[in-house]
Amino acid sequence: MMKTVPVQDAIGSVLCHDMTRIIPGEYKGPAFKKGHIIKQEDIPVLLEIGKEHVYILTLAEGQLHENDAARRIAKAAAGPGITLSTISEGRINMKAAPGLLSINVEALERINSIDEVVLATMHNGIQITEPRDVAGTRVVPLVIDESKIIEVEKICRESGPIVSVKPFRNLDVALITTGSEVYTGRIKDKFGPVIRKKFDALNSEVISQTLVSDDPDMTRAAIMKCIDDGAQMVVLTGGMSVDPDDQTPASIRSTGAEVVTYGTPSFPGVMFMLAYLNGVPIIGLPGCVMYYRASIFDLIVPRIVAGERPTRKEIAALGHGGFCAGCETCRYPLCSFGK
């Protein structure tokens, strides 16, 4: 139970919750933390922030304080790659290590359907390149029935982690650059440096780059050699459009690879191809990947590097969110693209 005490009579009492102080445009945070012993000099500050009374709390059997509830939710929901913050104003944040953010959306919705329980996350599948906060949890009231937290813990046990990170595997990537104009040296390849940078951010390395002409047999032979040489992923650039000279999709098909998709509901990135040959992903990248910071590459390739195998159905679902807004300053992945 909780009783109300006028602040003037509260000297020596222990606060049972944080008290927030807001100075518009300057500060928002706890003026006093839970556990603070109220002193004479605190009285004017309490009155200044609008607190004429403080609350002394005695928990009944089967009840939890908000801080204890948040700790239990966070501990139950957090999986590999997630660390927990200290608690502040009843809330705990979850910080992700680099990798692919994995959110169990169905279980998350079940948890948030429990009255007075809150667990909010970033979108599933976001690429995390540097440690950052990706989720937070708390309960709404100062005191909550323990039965609700037990239900959260039960959901987490049944469903596995709600918030976790799949680390990026360190893959050896072979790059094949198609096009007679590059093969003959008439123009300089500009795609390679872009792809190397993207894979560096995914903890993988482009171990070779092969230049081939528009001859599909030559391209097919290059794919097979890369796989024979041990490449764990083969990426082809150039020749992905519907122009008669663009033969890269035909070259990929001629290897006997299982084609997951040629074409994706994504702008930029329609002319994207994904296939697998003996478990090795073969990817055909459209030219837009070279020019846009965020494209179909960023929606699909990080998932593959993290060990997932995207299906045709999942790729079709990218249409909802697959239209890039073309913001003047790109803030991907903190935007709607691909969500």
Side-chain angles (χ1 to χ4, degrees), residues 107-299:
L108 176 67
E109 291 175 355
R110 288 173 60 195
I111 288 171
N112 283 309
S113 295
I114 299 172
D115 189 36
E116 301 180 326
V117 171
V118 174
L119 175 56
T121 75
M122 287 187 171
H123 278 284
N124 180 49
I126 283 181
Q127 176 183 335
I128 307 296
T129 54
E130 295 181 358
R132 65 167 303 134
D133 288 342
V134 295
T137 188
R138 64 167 300 157
V139 295
V140 176
L142 181 62
V143 175
I144 191 169
D145 290 340
E146 185 180 17
S147 60
K148 296 178 180 179
I149 307 308
I150 292 173
E151 179 63 20
V152 172
E153 293 169 331
K154 180 174 181 287
I155 292 171
C156 294
R157 283 196 305 271
E158 294 172 349
S159 304
I162 311 303
V163 185
S164 60
V165 175
K166 296 178 180 178
F168 292 130
R169 299 174 296 168
N170 183 221
L171 299 185
D172 290 337
V173 180
L175 176 61
I176 298 173
T177 302
T178 72
S180 297
E181 67 281 8
V182 176
Y183 179 70
T184 58
R186 287 197 299 272
I187 68 170
K188 184 179 179 181
D189 168 52
K190 296 181 180 179
F191 223 141
V194 173
I195 299 305
R196 290 177 187 276
K197 184 176 180 181
K198 283 183 173 291
F199 276 107
D200 283 346
L202 297 176
N203 190 42
S204 293
E205 181 182 359
V206 176
I207 58 170
S208 66
Q209 182 174 11
T210 305
L211 305 183
V212 298
S213 70
D214 294 316
D215 178 8
D217 291 335
M218 187 178 186
T219 303
R220 179 189 180 281
I223 296 171
M224 302 306 293
K225 184 177 187 306
C226 289
I227 294 175
D228 289 344
D229 288 345
Q232 296 166 291
M233 180 185 291
V234 179
V235 175
L236 293 94
T237 64
M240 290 300 300
S241 79
V242 294
D243 292 345
D245 289 341
D246 287 348
Q247 297 291 321
T248 300
S251 302
I252 294 173
R253 292 183 192 277
S254 70
T255 65
E258 174 193 352
V259 176
V260 177
T261 188
Y262 173 41
T264 57
S266 170
F267 295 98
V270 171
M271 299 299 180
F272 172 88
M273 190 170 196
L274 172 62
Y276 285 87
L277 181 61
N278 299 325
V280 177
I282 303 173
I283 295 170
L285 294 179
C288 63
V289 175
M290 181 166 41
Y291 304 108
Y292 289 86
R293 178 184 168 189
S295 68
I296 189 64
F297 180 103
D298 305 280
L299 303 186

Side-chain angles (χ1 to χ4, degrees), residues 56 72 93 286 304:
I56 307 303
R72 284 176 59 172
N93 284 347
I304 298 171

